[in-house]
Amino acid sequence: MSHLHLNIGDIVLTGGADRSEGAALEGVLRKALQTLAEQLSARPGWNQADLAGVIVDRLETTPLTVDQLLQPGGPELLADALLDAILSEVR
């Protein structure tokens, strides 16, 4: 199995999260990015060579609420939204 390398410069969340939710959202983001990497690696025919040179300056997902992200399955929901956004950029 080949490895896929993702380089993410910045992640910006916009919305109404307060400080107490900020720490929880960090864990959500970490899990979502791990899940996203697993999803990309598992896609048949995708490898580093297939995506060489693909650069996305800005990637936006469908809007998700803080409540959606913090509920069980929130990281997976975000990972799915990120995957959809990435796929729409590379098609």
Side-chain angles (χ1 to χ4, degrees):
M1 175 168 88
S2 63
H3 295 282
L4 180 67
H5 299 278
L6 260 237
N7 181 7
I8 300 171
D10 294 303
I11 296 176
V12 178
L13 295 175
T14 57
D18 62 32
R19 285 188 189 268
S20 64
E21 293 169 327
L25 285 173
E26 183 178 332
V28 168
L29 284 172
R30 192 176 317 276
K31 175 65 176 159
L33 293 174
Q34 177 184 354
T35 301
L36 174 63
E38 292 167 0
Q39 289 173 330
L40 288 170
S41 294
R43 292 190 67 79
W46 280 52
N47 59 42
Q48 192 66 34
D50 294 332
L51 297 176
V54 173
I55 298 172
V56 179
D57 288 325
R58 181 181 179 110
L59 190 68
E60 292 187 34
T61 68
T62 55
L64 300 169
T65 67
V66 171
D67 288 340
Q68 285 176 300
L69 293 174
L70 294 178
Q71 71 184 1
E76 293 79 8
L77 184 66
L78 179 55
D80 291 343
L82 289 167
L83 180 62
D84 288 345
I86 289 169
L87 293 177
S88 72
E89 291 288 332
V90 296
R91 286 188 183 140

